[in-house]
Amino acid sequence: MTPISPARAILRALHDVMASSTSAQAKLNAVVAVVAEQLDSEVASIYLLRDGVLELFATKGLAQAAVHVTRLAMGEGLTGLIAATREPLNLAEARAHPDFAYKPETGEETFHSFAGVPIIRREASVGVLCVQHADPREYAEIEIEVLQTVAMVLAELIAGAGLIDDVAAAKARSAASGPVRLAGLKLVDGLARGTAVFHQPRVVIEHTVADDIEAERARVYGAFIRMREQIDGMMKQVEFAGGDTADVLETYKMFAYDEGWSRRINEAIDSGLTAEAAIDRVQQRTRAKMRAIPDPYLRERLTDLDDLSNRLIRIVSGQLGSAACSGLRGDTILLARNLGPAELLEYDRRVLKGVVLEEGSLTAHVTIVARAMGVPVIGRVGDLRTTIADGDELLVDGSAGAVLVRPSAAMLKSFAATSAVKARRQAEFAKLRDLPAVTTDGTRIALMMNAGLRDDAAALDATNADGIGLFRTEFQFLVSATLPRRERQTALYRAVLDAAGHRPVVFRTVDIGGDKAVPYMRDVAHADENPAMGWRALRLALGRSGLMKVQARALLEAGAGRTLDIMFPMVSEPWEFDAARALIEEQRDWLIGKGRALPTAVRYGAMLEVPALAEVLDVLLPKVDFLSIGTNDLTQFLFAADRANPALADRYDWLSPAILRFLRRIVVLAGAHATPLTVCGEMGGRPLEALALMSIGIERLSITPAAIGPVKAMVRSVDLGRVRAEMTRWLAVGNPTIRTDLVALADAAGIVLG
Ligand code: PEP
Ligand code: MG
């Protein structure tokens, strides 16, 4: 017997059954007859989930009187066990198994051997297909595979006939799988409850039995070519290069070109499956084999292969969109290996409540965007696909860095308690809204907020921030499928200025490139080996001056009648600032020529994100109206540690002497020139880090709106002179334990760290 012949014979027979115009019940009866005959079994039975229990729907070999009478709960008996675990069972002696449950009405006492497989739809068990035999023999592996293939066909048949209810099935699966706590890394704080939605949804296979084997072979062949092209393309795109992602792509490539994989899919097609069903069948088989290997490295590779199989099925079935394209139906927790900021922004903010990533890091732009959206994010959570299914209930606990999957009543209760504490704390922060951010020894700290989306401006009033210290204009570019037109840019800037009223708004000109890739500029943004240090931000903007000119006009027109603050990102040498400023002034002259209304004044600032600029501040500072330190980029360049690389996320500390000394030098130089200086990186939004910054002389912070309350509470509890004195001592000796020492000092001095 060749490995594929039993499957082929059975699928041929099933093809006729499926094509017949008989009732669903008649089809089920025909399927059990075909299975019993082809597997040379005395019994073949189908149990389906109805009202939460497994009901015998069709049998060949057991008493017909038991049909629609014999019922088993999920987890009850061998059948219930298979449905609950979604794993096959293959037993020479069924009675010897501790879960065996005897059902007298079936007359099954004469049978010894038993094999069964789950019938799975949308990753939930919806029934069980099983065979029994009088002789105590174990079924061969190939026979189990045949049963699994038939189970796939049955899933299609019963869904098409409306014999199962998908929602009930999902609930049954959740109940069967039980609650799980997954630990990860807190990237954005907050609490959220919602339904699991994978960014790349699994495709539901609608047709399993092929009408034309050659046509299916051609489809899968074409899909392989496209998939390989996509992977090769990704490898070339520097956006994906470096760190873990490069390793993942290497593995993808290895699988994508693996002859064994494509051969097994072709064999499954030979047996009579459609291309989608064949890819899925091979994947299920591989998954089962790899799961048995206890090596964590191989388990991770399994996720890669899952991703790739899913990609191949999406290509072959033409279902290419992410979950964002199909719309979210209720409160949602989004799950993904990783996401780009633009991908995240495609989701509806009203229902997107939380994000869980397998990768992710604190200063990656997707995290910053989520923070701006007020969406909690947990990163570096392993095994998402194997533990969570679409539709599972999830709790995201940002403070604990954990995801609770299918929470138990006790978990829900403790989550509600945490939410209440959090709400109380929020209420405490809200009470500080109208109080100034002044230390106990009288230093006023300006607390501005970071923004990038139109709705963010509402947070100005909620937090009573001193203004917007960083408006990331590129967010509008990231959400658009095409380059935003000038009118749209003007409208956004004007709306933000209107909302800000008398408070200042610092518009940062576009910072695209790096991990902020926009689809319509792939040509320029992706040509880099190392995009964070490549053709991004001001470099790209000066190179594509058309883009910058349009933005300059939009800003100047929006700022008519008021003071306009414009800041340039990634200035590396003073001449770049000059060039950018000249470009804006040129547009201003042009608008004057046209008689248009203009800002009453324009203030120009530079971001200090590239260490080299710190060495020439004596040249730069006389030219600028203000300076803002982008610690996200600056620190990645100081330590040569990619801000988006999760493996490096914990390695270097923002509170290291190197970073703090470097920042202090800038404070001193800016002070000497009386240049207003702000820190606008994520660092400033964390109370302990903000305290360290204040202790080296920083008096202006631009931070995420949610951090204003906690940071203000800290500011108002600090005797800054005392901390400053300690910090000066620590920096003088290069103290390697500033973090722990500062926490201890804060504890002793009663400083509120949230
Ligand atoms: C920074 O680099 O610190 C910064 C504020 O800019 P972005 O995070 O947008 O690169
Ligand atoms: Mg930056």
Side-chain angles (χ1 to χ4, degrees):
M1 195 191 286
T2 69
I4 52 169
S5 58
R8 185 170 205 161
I10 232 166
L11 280 169
R12 260 197 211 131
L14 288 183
H15 184 262
D16 297 340
V17 172
M18 298 288 280
S20 67
S21 53
T22 51
S23 69
Q25 180 66 51
K27 284 183 176 137
L28 292 179
N29 293 345
V31 171
V32 286
V34 168
V35 170
E37 186 193 334
Q38 294 293 334
L39 289 194
D40 195 17
S41 276
E42 281 143 339
V43 177
S45 310
I46 295 169
Y47 291 80
L48 297 183
L49 193 66
R50 175 141 67 180
D51 301 329
V53 287
L54 294 157
E55 177 177 316
L56 180 64
F57 259 69
T59 184
K60 168 86 179 40
L62 295 182
Q64 288 305 314
V67 173
H68 298 301
V69 172
T70 295
R71 306 181 96 209
L72 291 150
M74 269 284 183
E76 184 191 355
L78 301 178
T79 306
L81 182 67
I82 293 167
T85 58
R86 290 188 280 158
E87 294 287 344
L89 266 185
N90 185 5
L91 306 166
E93 189 50 78
R95 280 155 197 283
H97 194 284
D99 284 305
F100 180 78
Y102 177 52
K103 292 281 170 185
E105 71 275 11
T106 59
E108 63 184 341
E109 58 274 16
T110 51
F111 306 109
H112 289 271
S113 58
F114 173 97
V117 296
I119 302 169
I120 293 173
R121 178 148 173 101
R122 294 184 196 273
E123 296 175 58
S125 283
V126 294
V128 171
L129 168 67
C130 53
V131 288
Q132 289 168 277
H133 204 77
D135 298 336
R137 63 140 167 146
E138 223 178 75
Y139 285 85
E141 202 183 315
I142 182 70
E143 291 174 305
I144 302 296
E145 282 204 6
V146 169
L147 283 177
Q148 285 173 318
T149 305
V150 176
M152 274 176 87
V153 180
L154 279 170
E156 176 193 336
L157 169 71
I158 60 189
L163 289 175
I164 49 152
D165 171 355
D166 280 348
V167 177
K171 280 206 182 114
R173 185 222 36 250
S174 302
S177 313
V180 180
R181 183 182 192 280
L182 300 176
L185 179 74
K186 170 177 85 181
L187 296 179
V188 179
D189 200 357
L191 300 170
R193 182 175 177 175
T195 304
V197 170
F198 278 92
H199 173 59
Q200 295 289 7
R202 265 197 209 290
V203 175
V204 176
I205 297 170
E206 300 298 348
H207 296 292
T208 48
V209 185
D211 292 323
D212 176 349
I213 288 181
E214 284 317 311
E216 297 302 317
R217 204 191 304 287
R219 288 177 69 219
V220 97
Y221 181 74
F224 258 103
I225 292 179
R226 264 198 72 193
M227 181 188 64
R228 287 171 182 168
E229 280 168 6
Q230 285 180 2
I231 306 287
D232 291 346
M234 279 191 228
M235 299 279 298
K236 281 201 206 101
Q237 281 176 18
V238 274
E239 177 194 8
F240 289 95
D244 284 5
T245 323
D247 290 350
V248 168
L249 281 177
E250 272 304 328
T251 318
Y252 273 21
K253 187 160 184 175
M254 195 185 81
F255 283 130
Y257 284 88
D258 179 38
E259 291 298 327
W261 185 35
S262 50
R263 193 191 63 243
R264 283 189 291 280
I265 291 172
N266 266 308
E267 284 170 2
I269 288 178
D270 278 342
S271 74
L273 289 173
T274 57
E276 291 90 339
I279 299 163
D280 195 47
R281 189 73 275 288
V282 170
Q283 180 54 12
Q284 283 181 26
R285 198 189 304 157
T286 317
R287 209 182 288 152
K289 284 201 177 122
M290 285 174 83
R291 242 194 237 136
I293 306 171
D295 178 343
Y297 177 77
L298 279 180
R299 280 182 70 90
E300 265 191 34
R301 298 290 74 78
L302 179 61
T303 317
D304 299 338
L305 188 59
D306 259 346
D307 266 12
L308 211 56
S309 278
N310 214 15
R311 175 182 288 267
L312 194 59
I313 294 180
R314 281 203 306 277
I315 294 174
V316 93
S317 62
Q319 300 178 41
L320 294 171
S322 72
C325 306
S326 44
L328 304 177
R329 273 178 290 281
D331 285 358
T332 296
I333 309 292
L334 188 66
L335 310 174
R337 180 192 275 278
N338 213 343
L339 284 173
E343 287 174 310
L344 183 66
L345 284 166
E346 278 175 20
Y347 287 91
D348 182 348
R349 290 178 83 181
R350 287 164 303 181
V351 283
L352 181 66
K353 299 294 171 193
V355 175
V356 183
L357 302 174
E358 290 185 346
E359 298 182 354
S361 73
L362 214 51
T363 55
H365 279 104
V366 64
T367 310
I368 290 171
V369 171
R371 197 171 288 128
M373 291 165 82
V375 173
V377 184
I378 310 282
R380 293 199 263 157
V381 180
D383 274 353
L384 285 184
R385 280 275 182 203
T386 45
T387 16
I388 305 177
D390 262 307
D392 275 343
E393 182 174 13
L394 301 180
L395 301 178
V396 169
D397 184 345
S399 358
V403 187
L404 306 171
V405 187
R406 301 174 293 271
S408 62
M411 285 170 167
L412 284 167
K413 204 168 151 204
S414 105
F415 187 79
T418 316
S419 305
V421 172
K422 192 141 192 122
R424 268 200 302 279
R425 212 177 312 134
Q426 284 317 117
E428 292 295 315
F429 293 145
K431 282 194 206 139
L432 302 179
R433 184 190 175 281
D434 298 319
L435 299 175
V438 182
T439 64
T440 58
D441 52 347
T443 303
R444 169 81 164 88
I445 305 294
L447 295 181
M448 320 263 286
M449 57 168 255
N450 292 346
L453 304 164
R454 183 190 296 258
D455 302 349
D456 292 345
L460 265 175
D461 279 334
T463 58
N464 200 16
D466 292 314
I468 297 180
L470 168 64
F471 188 88
R472 291 180 163 104
T473 60
E474 65 274 7
F475 280 12
Q476 188 186 28
F477 289 65
L478 293 172
V479 285
S480 308
T482 53
L483 201 68
R485 298 171 63 85
R486 183 170 51 82
E487 295 74 14
R488 276 182 48 214
Q489 294 183 42
T490 312
L492 171 66
Y493 307 150
R494 194 171 283 141
V496 173
L497 285 167
D498 286 346
H502 63 281
R503 288 175 282 214
V505 178
V506 177
F507 288 99
R508 178 181 67 186
T509 58
V510 281
D511 179 1
I512 43 185
D515 64 341
K516 289 183 271 197
V518 287
Y520 42 86
M521 289 182 67
R522 285 206 183 279
D523 52 332
V524 271
H526 285 205
D528 283 314
E529 276 275 315
N530 186 341
M533 299 203 257
W535 197 240
R536 64 171 275 211
L538 192 58
R539 301 162 184 186
L540 183 147
L542 289 175
R544 294 267 296 232
S545 61
L547 178 119
M548 180 89 160
K549 283 179 186 157
V550 169
Q551 185 170 39
R553 293 246 308 271
L555 284 166
L556 291 163
E557 289 190 48
R562 2 186 183 211
T563 300
L564 179 68
D565 291 310
I566 299 179
M567 174 164 83
F568 305 117
M570 291 277 289
V571 176
S572 309
E573 292 197 315
W575 71 264
E576 291 172 333
F577 174 84
D578 295 336
R581 182 189 171 129
L583 196 148
I584 307 249
E585 306 261 90
E586 225 173 70
Q587 293 309 305
R588 192 157 77 144
D589 293 346
W590 187 86
L591 288 170
I592 290 171
K594 293 276 170 201
R596 301 270 173 83
L598 285 171
T600 44
V602 183
R603 289 190 293 227
Y604 295 96
M607 285 191 76
L608 195 150
E609 308 183 84
V610 177
L613 194 64
E615 281 302 321
V616 283
L617 280 181
D618 54 327
V619 183
L620 179 81
L621 287 172
K623 301 169 186 277
V624 301
D625 296 307
F626 58 93
L627 190 69
S628 193
I629 308 179
T631 47
N632 301 335
D633 275 312
L634 179 66
T635 53
Q636 79 165 340
F637 297 134
L638 277 178
F639 268 122
D642 186 342
R643 66 193 264 184
N645 185 337
L648 295 173
D650 298 330
R651 192 174 178 112
Y652 306 105
D653 194 346
W654 272 325
L655 301 190
S656 66
I659 287 180
L660 294 172
R661 282 185 190 176
F662 193 91
L663 294 177
R664 193 176 53 179
R665 277 175 53 211
I666 300 167
V667 173
V668 171
L669 286 167
H673 283 85
T675 306
L677 176 68
T678 308
V679 166
C680 64
E682 304 311 298
M683 183 177 174
R686 299 159 71 99
L688 188 70
E689 279 79 350
L691 176 61
L693 290 171
M694 284 160 54
S695 75
I696 55 163
I698 294 285
E699 292 181 359
R700 297 169 66 84
L701 297 171
S702 188
I703 57 186
T704 188
I708 297 216
V711 171
K712 194 190 267 186
M714 180 274 291
V715 170
R716 292 178 55 82
S717 64
V718 174
D719 172 359
L720 192 55
R722 179 170 167 193
V723 185
R724 199 170 270 171
E726 282 299 328
M727 184 59 82
T728 306
R729 261 196 299 280
W730 293 335
L731 292 185
V733 295
N735 178 1
T737 56
I738 291 179
R739 179 171 294 277
T740 43
D741 293 344
L742 191 57
V743 170
L745 174 64
D747 264 357
I751 298 170
V752 178
L753 289 179

